[in-house]
Amino acid sequence: MGLIVQKYGGTSVANLERIRNVAHRVIRTHNQGHDVVAIVSAMSGVTDSLIALAREINESPDKRELDALLATGEQTTATLLAMMLTSMGSPAQSLMGFQVQVRTDQCFGNARIQDIRVDRVRSLLSDHSIVVVAGFQGCDAEGNITTLGRGGSDTSAVAIAAALTADACDIYTDVTGVFTADPNVVSKARKIDRISYEEMLEMSSIGAKVLQIRSVEFAMKYNVPVHVRSSFSEEEGTMVVNEDNGMERVVVSAVTMNKSDARITLRKVPDSPGIAAKIFTPIAAAGISVDMIIQNTRASGKTDLTFTVPKADYKVALAIEKQVAKEIEAEDVFGDENIAKISVTGVGMRSHPGVAARMFACLAREGINIMMISTSEIRISCLIEQKYAELGVQALHTEFGLDAA
Ligand code: ASP
Ligand code: MG
């Protein structure tokens, strides 16, 4: 018999009735003879309301206190699920992050897992107890409560599965799996049966919200097969696994879009050593991450430089660059929030040339202008006007033969 880790997201534990459903599922697995460790998120909406509460006191709440506050969301569901399981005849115990222990660094709000001690989990399992772990949280070396970043329960689940060398890690959510495109945008989107870690990593990094990106990094590093599936149906979901031969036959596995970035352009920047560093160092110092960057060289010794940042950081980044522009004597700085990034991802790109050309031609047929392009070995992204995002995704989905029959 195996050891199964099951993670239940916010919508799956949104109220007591749903927690009861989750308990049924956990008990069913347990009754099949498996050891079960259930990892839970906060009830949907709870993390957001806790953040809003804290912000009523202070727009930027103290990070240590905020983490301790947010961790109560997962504490609530973990304890309720443990009580529910026990009341249904299957003894269970909850463990918070610090009790497991999930040891992290001290980066409140976005802590990284350094080490997981699973002795306590193991000893509970050997007493035939079901173990319920509060996701999203850990503790630093001094015992402070930390959280792992939004969506971090996925990472808790995969990391705990890795530490326990679990036989399966099932991520239960409100969708039936990973799709070739967002079904709300593309009616002919299909569920993907198997997707490689690498593709999932690329898709998470461009904003597909099914799995927190760090959970995929963990899964890939420790070879944890992850099954993304719905807690509202019995349907098989999507397996996130090592790449296999069949996967390369598909040129593009998924088309995604992301409207969460904004663009900043510095015009007529001096084309000399050290200028790019001057432009990006203060952005980095402000903790803002930059995504796409393009720079053109001009004959005049001046160059235009454009980059994208998260919309949430746009105003701060623009203000920083206005200052920088004065110092480096750039002619002008302007920005644009009405942009979207659309991407095609697939390991098949490695062995099929011409994917970029096909993507550009497809967008051109729709009259969509491309503002910026970036690529990785298995992904091509284009920045376009936001109002064309849906149209672009639909067209690409058809172009690459992904439409359901
Ligand atoms: N409750 C946290 C959030 O809303 C973590 C999670 O759900 O994975 O981001
Ligand atoms: Mg999630």
Side-chain angles (χ1 to χ4, degrees):
M1 290 299 111
L3 196 171
I4 315 280
V5 170
Q6 299 181 336
K7 180 257 170 176
Y8 293 94
T11 46
S12 305
V13 293
N15 52 46
L16 280 186
E17 195 194 320
R18 291 194 181 169
I19 292 179
R20 188 171 292 114
N21 281 341
V22 164
H24 277 299
R25 222 176 250 278
V26 171
I27 289 173
R28 195 169 16 144
T29 311
H30 195 240
N31 286 348
Q32 287 162 356
H34 301 295
D35 285 336
V36 186
V37 178
I39 319 281
V40 288
S41 285
M43 293 173 167
S44 60
V46 165
T47 309
D48 287 334
S49 5
L50 290 172
I51 293 173
L53 263 183
R55 284 203 178 137
E56 276 184 43
I57 301 173
N58 184 335
E59 201 24 60
S60 4
D62 181 86
K63 291 190 162 169
R64 177 184 179 277
E65 301 309 324
L66 185 64
D67 271 12
L69 176 67
L70 296 190
T72 63
E74 272 71 11
Q75 178 156 354
T76 304
T77 34
T79 48
L80 288 175
L81 178 57
M83 289 178 204
M84 188 68 85
L85 287 162
T86 305
S87 80
M88 288 165 69
S90 294
Q93 228 189 74
S94 68
L95 291 177
M96 303 307 116
F98 72 88
Q99 294 170 316
V100 167
Q101 288 179 343
V102 178
R103 283 283 284 274
T104 71
D105 63 16
Q106 212 180 47
C107 182
F108 294 114
N110 204 13
R112 282 185 167 271
I113 297 176
Q114 293 173 330
D115 181 35
I116 297 186
R117 305 204 185 130
V118 285
D119 314 0
R120 192 155 170 190
V121 174
R122 283 207 194 282
S123 86
L124 284 169
L125 291 174
S126 62
D127 287 344
H128 306 289
S129 181
I130 292 169
V131 181
V132 184
V133 177
F136 179 53
Q137 51 177 270
C139 72
D140 70 11
E142 288 160 30
N144 298 300
I145 293 172
T146 54
T147 65
L148 310 181
R150 298 307 305 266
S153 298
D154 295 335
T155 303
S156 307
V158 176
I160 289 170
L164 288 165
T165 52
D167 298 287
C169 180
D170 297 340
I171 306 279
Y172 285 95
T173 174
D174 50 4
V175 292
T176 50
V178 181
F179 281 74
T180 52
D182 180 348
N184 297 316
V185 175
V186 180
S187 56
K188 290 187 166 175
R190 286 183 290 114
K191 192 178 69 193
I192 302 170
D193 294 333
R194 292 167 73 77
I195 191 164
S196 69
Y197 293 126
E198 252 187 296
E199 288 169 313
M200 201 61 238
L201 211 51
E202 290 281 355
M203 286 168 64
S204 305
S205 75
I206 52 187
K209 296 215 172 63
V210 245
L211 288 175
Q212 198 201 29
I213 186 160
R214 279 210 219 134
S215 71
V216 188
E217 286 166 1
F218 249 100
M220 184 154 127
K221 186 162 171 199
Y222 295 101
N223 228 324
V224 181
V226 172
H227 188 179
V228 180
R229 58 187 308 181
S230 168
S231 67
F232 301 99
S233 81
E234 296 304 315
E235 213 180 301
E236 287 285 300
T238 300
M239 289 301 303
V240 189
V241 290
N242 266 320
E243 186 178 333
D244 61 43
N245 294 335
M247 289 177 182
E248 282 227 338
R249 261 181 266 133
V250 183
V251 183
V252 165
S253 302
V255 185
T256 46
M257 71 165 168
N258 176 343
K259 296 180 178 173
S260 59
D261 286 349
R263 173 173 73 123
I264 293 177
T265 299
L266 286 92
R267 262 175 38 87
K268 294 205 177 166
V269 173
D271 188 11
S272 53
I275 293 293
K278 284 207 173 102
I279 291 172
F280 291 107
T281 304
I283 295 280
I288 298 173
S289 40
V290 171
D291 179 26
M292 297 167 117
I293 301 176
I294 48 171
Q295 178 186 301
N296 301 323
T297 307
R298 296 197 191 198
S300 61
K302 300 264 182 178
T303 165
D304 289 351
L305 196 141
T306 302
F307 61 94
T308 61
V309 293
K311 273 194 180 123
D313 298 320
Y314 172 63
K315 291 214 167 74
V316 176
L318 194 61
I320 291 175
E321 292 310 337
K322 290 217 157 117
Q323 193 54 43
V324 171
K326 274 188 217 146
E327 287 159 27
I328 61 174
E329 295 178 349
E331 187 184 275
D332 194 10
V333 184
F334 56 89
D336 183 0
E337 286 183 276
N338 289 315
I339 56 162
K341 185 164 78 170
I342 53 179
S343 310
V344 298
T345 306
V347 287
M349 261 177 226
R350 288 198 204 107
S351 46
H352 296 80
V355 180
R358 241 174 108 182
M359 179 178 191
F360 305 153
C362 170
L363 295 176
R365 276 196 303 278
E366 301 298 329
I368 301 174
N369 187 42
I370 301 170
M371 304 175 195
M372 292 172 89
I373 300 163
S374 78
T375 61
S376 82
E377 203 190 359
I378 62 163
R379 173 180 56 82
I380 305 163
S381 300
C382 294
L383 203 72
I384 62 169
E385 244 184 283
Q386 184 163 301
K387 66 178 181 200
Y388 294 126
E390 284 79 10
L391 174 67
V393 169
Q394 286 154 1
L396 291 169
H397 198 266
T398 307
E399 170 66 28
F400 288 103
L402 296 175
D403 288 353

